[in-house]
Amino acid sequence: MAQEVGLDPALIEQAAAVLPAEPRSTAARILGGPDKYQMQYSVPVELSSEGQRKVIDAVRQATGHHGKVEEVMGSLEWQTVGEVSVIQMTVSPSEGSTTVRVLVNRGPAGGLQYGLTMVAGFAGMGIVGAILEPTTAAGIIGVVVGTLGTAAITARTIWATTTKSFRKKLNHLMSAASRAADEAAEAASAREESNEG
């Protein structure tokens, strides 16, 4: 369909590769964004270890993070180190194609961000309670609910904002990975054709 309207199908596939694999859950809607992402991109060539390394290098450049790399059963795995949001990427050649898969877990970052905001909310509750000195049950409940409600809204707003910037980072990462995979696949195909000729 993309070709019929003059669009490059490879660009459509790249755009689709950066969309979250799962629909947004109720928890993600309540919290202001998902804490997990899964994306993948494939090329119709089994990349050599050199081609796989080119994909890893492109992601290192895109993220500005060296991370750690391991070879596991013919695949290369790259993972961030020392960051609260964990990004893992696997470049797996198999049966005539290579899949670049990215898994992200922002759960620890979300827990930390929500936890710190709620701690600030409890501190604020103490300050508001000391200033207002509520003497009735309704007054005490009002201070607790109002202060913690404000903290929860603040936490959600911060998470929604950081989710938008994190998605941009993932789009950039996946774009770099898919471009590098395409280039490595083209080089491999050209080598194969010259060897046949």
Side-chain angles (χ1 to χ4, degrees):
M1 286 178 15
Q3 281 179 327
E4 289 176 12
V5 294
L7 297 174
D8 183 353
L11 296 177
I12 302 295
E13 190 173 343
Q14 282 180 357
V18 298
L19 296 174
E22 302 294 325
R24 282 181 48 154
S25 66
T26 302
R29 284 193 293 275
I30 291 169
L31 297 176
D35 65 342
K36 291 184 175 50
Y37 298 85
Q38 178 177 333
M39 297 159 283
Q40 72 178 38
Y41 182 76
S42 296
V43 291
V45 174
E46 284 191 44
L47 295 181
S48 64
S49 54
E50 179 188 345
Q52 293 174 54
R53 279 194 298 276
K54 286 182 179 176
V55 176
I56 299 288
D57 288 342
V59 168
R60 282 176 163 166
Q61 279 191 318
T63 60
H65 189 85
H66 190 266
K68 70 174 184 176
V69 178
E70 293 179 337
E71 186 174 344
V72 180
M73 297 171 39
S75 298
L76 276 185
E77 294 184 358
W78 173 86
Q79 179 175 319
T80 55
V81 176
E83 291 193 358
V84 185
S85 295
V86 179
I87 303 173
Q88 297 174 309
M89 184 181 74
T90 306
V91 184
S92 306
S94 176
E95 298 179 6
S97 67
T98 301
T99 301
V100 177
R101 184 171 289 114
V102 176
L103 302 172
V104 179
N105 181 3
R106 291 192 72 212
L112 181 64
Q113 185 248 299
Y114 268 85
L116 290 175
T117 306
M118 294 313 283
V119 166
F122 279 112
M125 184 172 54
I127 293 168
V128 170
I131 293 170
L132 297 180
E133 296 181 4
T135 55
T136 64
I140 293 170
I141 290 170
V143 168
V144 170
V145 171
T147 309
L148 293 182
T150 300
I153 290 168
T154 301
R156 186 187 190 287
T157 302
I158 293 169
W159 186 253
T161 302
T162 60
T163 294
K164 287 177 186 173
S165 63
F166 193 81
R167 279 193 179 138
K168 285 182 185 174
K169 178 181 177 178
L170 284 181
N171 288 346
H172 182 61
L173 179 156
M174 203 62 195
S175 215
S178 59
R179 204 168 33 251
D182 285 339
E183 288 170 4
E186 286 172 17
S189 295
R191 274 194 306 272
E192 203 171 282
E193 286 175 13
S194 69
N195 288 342
E196 289 173 1

